[in-house]
Amino acid sequence: MQALTLDKLLSYRNDISIPDVAAGGALIKLRLAGICATDLELVQGYAGFSGILGHEFVGTVIAVNDDKHRDWLNRRVVGSINIGCNSCEVCRSDGPEHCLNRKVLGIRGKDGVFADYFSLPVTNLYAVPDAVPDQAAVFTEPLAAALRVVKQIASLPITEVAVVGPGRLGMLIAKVLSLIGYRVTVLGRSTSSLALPKQWQLATGLTTEIPDNCFDCVVDASGQAAGFAQALRIVKPRGTLVLKSTFAANAALDLSKVVVYEINIIGSRCGPFADALTLLAQNKLPVETMIDGQYPLSEGLAAFAHAAQAGVRKILLQSAKLPADCPVETG
């Protein structure tokens, strides 16, 4: 099968074996996958991952390991990305997201979805409602991550939020917060980067023009150390800073303000897939307007180059349509 693999360098290959399906697992045929900022950072060396990249997807289940999961066959699905050990106290009490022994799809110890076929445990799968087209369903994972912010700040006395970074994830975070009722301002480095947030009817501004210490809550979704520095600069004393960015750079950061002004820092990662699918089915987020290109897997290197360009939001990858009688072998 085809796949985009990372072994220090990103490569396209068409000689990768179709994965075996472990007990409790499903084999999934890719329909669409999204390239996200984390994928771009992994190529730059973040987390030291090697293997098949990719974790944002919509696909079709074509095989399962045991008969009790046969009702998943031929269903259109998305899937959560964390695979816990299922035996530690963290897994038993909180779930797999913070299991110290977890695997993470396309990020940590588990081949990802930039391939014709990939596998996931059935417990990670969510059926996609008929009302949600593929080009919207592929946004389920980042939308779930955006909804995680909503849950994390819900109990705090916050009414106004700045989102630093008008990119893929920043847009979703800003929109879901605005739908909940927060007053949201999307901040970017250029006026051109703010055109789509304005189209989404979100308030906008240039980060460099925002005075120091003026927002109760700031979400950093910039994906850059410089974005974090700006987010810290504009958060009020005793305010809340939510961190959504992961990046490969080892930049020096001045954290003295965190101490002196008692800034509350919240790390934020994965969120609720079921809620994300419900929101997509309600058609309240124009996610498809973020798509800037769609490539077959065979042009995956060009797709990554496109995704890495400044101002580009979502680039999608599409598996080749194989003949209906193409044999699929599972272990």
Side-chain angles (χ1 to χ4, degrees), residues 29-97:
K29 173 74 168 70
L30 179 67
R31 298 171 71 94
L32 286 177
I35 300 173
C36 83
T38 300
D39 300 314
L40 297 174
E41 291 297 324
L42 288 166
V43 172
Q44 297 301 316
Y46 168 68
F49 176 77
S50 62
I52 299 173
L53 287 172
H55 58 276
E56 299 179 6
F57 75 91
V58 56
T60 302
V61 176
I62 62 167
V64 292
N65 185 272
D66 49 64
D67 286 342
K68 68 180 181 180
H69 295 137
R70 289 189 62 83
D71 58 336
W72 283 99
L73 288 173
N74 301 315
R75 297 183 78 174
R76 202 163 49 110
V77 297
V78 294
S80 59
I81 67 175
N82 298 286
I83 305 166
C85 68
N86 296 319
S87 59
C88 70
E89 181 60 30
V90 174
C91 282
R92 290 195 298 267
S93 60
D94 299 323
E97 287 79 11

Side-chain angles (χ1 to χ4, degrees), residues 142-206:
L143 179 55
L147 289 169
R148 175 65 176 158
V149 177
V150 174
K151 182 175 182 179
Q152 288 175 298
I153 69 172
S155 63
L156 301 176
I158 293 168
T159 57
E160 191 167 9
V161 182
V163 177
V164 177
R168 300 166 282 264
L169 182 55
M171 291 276 294
L172 294 173
I173 294 168
K175 191 62 177 179
V176 296
L177 288 172
S178 68
L179 289 173
I180 294 296
Y182 291 96
R183 296 196 303 272
V184 181
T185 304
V186 180
L187 302 177
R189 293 181 296 174
S190 67
T191 53
S192 60
S193 71
L194 300 173
L196 191 57
K198 289 180 179 177
Q199 183 181 323
W200 281 27
Q201 300 181 323
L202 293 164
T204 62
L206 294 174

Side-chain angles (χ1 to χ4, degrees), residues 288-295 306 311-316:
E288 289 152 288
T289 62
M290 284 200 292
I291 298 172
D292 286 334
Q294 184 168 315
Y295 292 76
H306 190 175
V312 172
R313 289 189 171 85
K314 186 58 69 180
I315 298 298
L316 301 182

Side-chain angles (χ1 to χ4, degrees), residues 107-169:
I107 298 174
R108 175 178 172 174
K110 168 67 176 173
D111 279 337
V113 306
F114 294 163
D116 288 322
Y117 302 96
F118 54 94
S119 65
L120 264 180
V122 168
T123 53
N124 286 57
L125 300 182
Y126 294 81
V128 178
D130 292 341
V132 181
D134 286 352
Q135 288 193 323
V138 74
F139 285 91
T140 304
E141 193 276 338
L143 179 55
L147 289 169
R148 175 65 176 158
V149 177
V150 174
K151 182 175 182 179
Q152 288 175 298
I153 69 172
S155 63
L156 301 176
I158 293 168
T159 57
E160 191 167 9
V161 182
V163 177
V164 177
R168 300 166 282 264
L169 182 55

